[in-house]
Amino acid sequence: MSQSKPIVLITGASAGFGAAMAKKYNANGHPVILTARRFDRLKKLTQELDSNFPIHIAQLDVTQKNDIEQFIKALPMTMRNIGILINNAGLALGLSSFQNADELDFETMINTNIKGLIYMTKRILPFMLNNNMGHIVNIGSIAANWPYPGGHVYCATKAFVQQFSRTLRCDLQGKNIRVSEIEPGMSQTEFSLVRFKGDEVKANEVYAGNSPLIAEDIANIVYFTTTLPPHININTLEVMPTCQSWAPLSIVSQSL
Ligand code: NDP
Ligand code: 8X3
């Protein structure tokens, strides 16, 4: 008898990494629960998926605790035993220096990248603890490790994701629940379009003439991470496109 594959819950499945991961897990026979704020996008995505495997879509803003609770209550009985949670929903807003940046953008990034991730984790973990089995994958960023001008709050939210993921591992030790944090570098998705608030020219400039990672690269890496034998836990996996590396420390000419 073939063993059923773990149910995968993906936040932010309406675009980019999340949509690519939805396709990857579905193509490999996993039941998938796909969430995002843009329900029309999720509906469209299901048309590209193999309906031989269970698919559940739900409109969900991860910043809204009550909505997460309603979403969980409304899960079909057959989709409740979530085996893999992929906390992917997230965003960067703006690239202005901190002193010129918009405080509302700070709040949105903190609410989504930090609070949304812990709200989801807190509410999905009981299913895993109950089954004594699970895997939480948090999508971090190279921005956690490498500061850059205008990165301020976004970089700091991803530093949170890194440290939270590591400490969660400590708390879950002995529970047979893996925690992995994947840290992508420059990847061509809707990320820059969101960061530059719909300015397509600016967004395209980020990738022009380069070979960035694509969403499928990250989907493959996440899939690999979750399909390793159960005694292996990838803690942190940082990945950049070959065209990206580090700049030297910046020196400004100034006599003080
Ligand atoms: P996209 O903009 O293509 O996708 C982001 C996804 O997050 C969308 O599905 C969006 O759905 C969802 N989302 C945003 N806010 C919320 C919210 N409040 N509630 C629920 N879902 C939300 O970007 P990426 O695929 O690139 O980004 C995915 C993750 O990867 C993010 O955490 C990002 O920080 C991280 N990352 C991206 C990199 C890149 O260069 N692209 C590099 C490193 C990390 P909707 O708007 O429908 O709600
Ligand atoms: C996205 C990567 O370097 O554009 O997390 O901030 S970066």
Side-chain angles (χ1 to χ4, degrees):
M1 205 173 84
S2 69
Q3 208 177 348
S4 59
K5 301 210 173 170
I7 299 169
V8 186
L9 165 54
I10 304 170
T11 66
S14 60
F17 299 162
M21 289 189 275
K23 291 179 193 165
K24 180 77 186 177
Y25 282 97
N26 166 263
N28 284 280
H30 288 259
V32 290
I33 302 170
L34 309 176
T35 68
R37 292 167 303 178
R38 288 172 294 176
F39 191 68
D40 52 326
R41 287 283 201 104
L42 295 176
K43 274 210 279 200
K44 205 162 154 230
L45 174 62
T46 59
Q47 290 161 13
E48 298 174 50
L49 302 181
D50 183 345
S51 59
N52 286 311
F53 304 114
I55 301 161
H56 177 73
I57 57 171
Q59 181 169 34
L60 180 63
D61 181 338
V62 293
T63 67
Q64 304 301 314
K65 259 195 260 190
N66 292 342
D67 293 0
I68 298 176
E69 271 150 28
Q70 288 310 316
F71 152 75
I72 291 173
K73 278 192 193 139
L75 277 177
M77 283 314 286
T78 52
M79 296 295 261
R80 300 182 83 84
N81 276 328
I82 293 152
I84 302 173
L85 166 64
I86 305 176
N87 282 313
N88 165 71
L91 77 176
L93 290 172
L95 198 57
S96 311
S97 52
F98 179 75
Q99 57 275 27
N100 298 323
D102 182 346
E103 204 165 51
L104 279 178
D105 288 347
F106 302 163
E107 283 169 16
T108 306
M109 289 188 276
I110 291 167
N111 289 340
T112 312
N113 303 355
I114 296 181
K115 291 186 178 178
L117 185 142
I118 55 178
Y119 294 160
M120 285 301 292
T121 305
K122 182 81 175 151
R123 283 158 185 78
I124 299 301
L125 248 182
F127 295 104
M128 296 182 175
L129 288 165
N130 198 35
N131 292 332
N132 197 31
M133 189 189 314
H135 199 153
I136 296 166
V137 180
N138 293 328
I139 303 299
S141 169
I142 60 162
N145 304 318
W146 312 110
Y148 57 85
H152 44 83
V153 173
Y154 177 70
C155 294
T157 64
K158 292 302 186 179
F160 172 92
V161 173
Q162 181 188 84
Q163 197 61 0
F164 172 70
S165 305
R166 291 178 180 171
T167 51
L168 188 60
R169 277 218 69 212
C170 306
D171 292 351
L172 294 175
Q173 194 162 20
K175 307 282 185 204
N176 195 29
I177 300 174
R178 296 188 280 185
V179 183
S180 303
E181 190 231 355
I182 308 300
E183 300 178 343
M186 180 176 67
S187 312
Q188 190 157 15
T189 60
E190 293 178 20
F191 178 83
S192 293
L193 195 61
V194 172
R195 168 169 254 171
F196 297 120
K197 303 183 177 173
D199 185 332
E200 287 188 25
V201 175
K202 262 188 171 175
N204 290 336
E205 274 171 9
V206 175
Y207 313 109
N210 294 320
S211 300
L213 299 173
I214 57 170
E216 288 71 21
D217 297 325
I218 301 306
N220 289 335
I221 289 168
V222 171
Y223 185 77
F224 161 78
T225 301
T226 59
T227 49
L228 286 166
H231 65 286
I232 303 174
N233 188 99
I234 290 197
N235 299 333
T236 308
L237 192 157
E238 186 188 77
V239 51
M240 292 180 188
T242 309
C243 64
Q244 189 174 36
S245 77
W246 308 271
L249 291 175
S250 157
I251 311 287
V252 68
S253 298
Q254 200 176 26
S255 73
L256 296 170

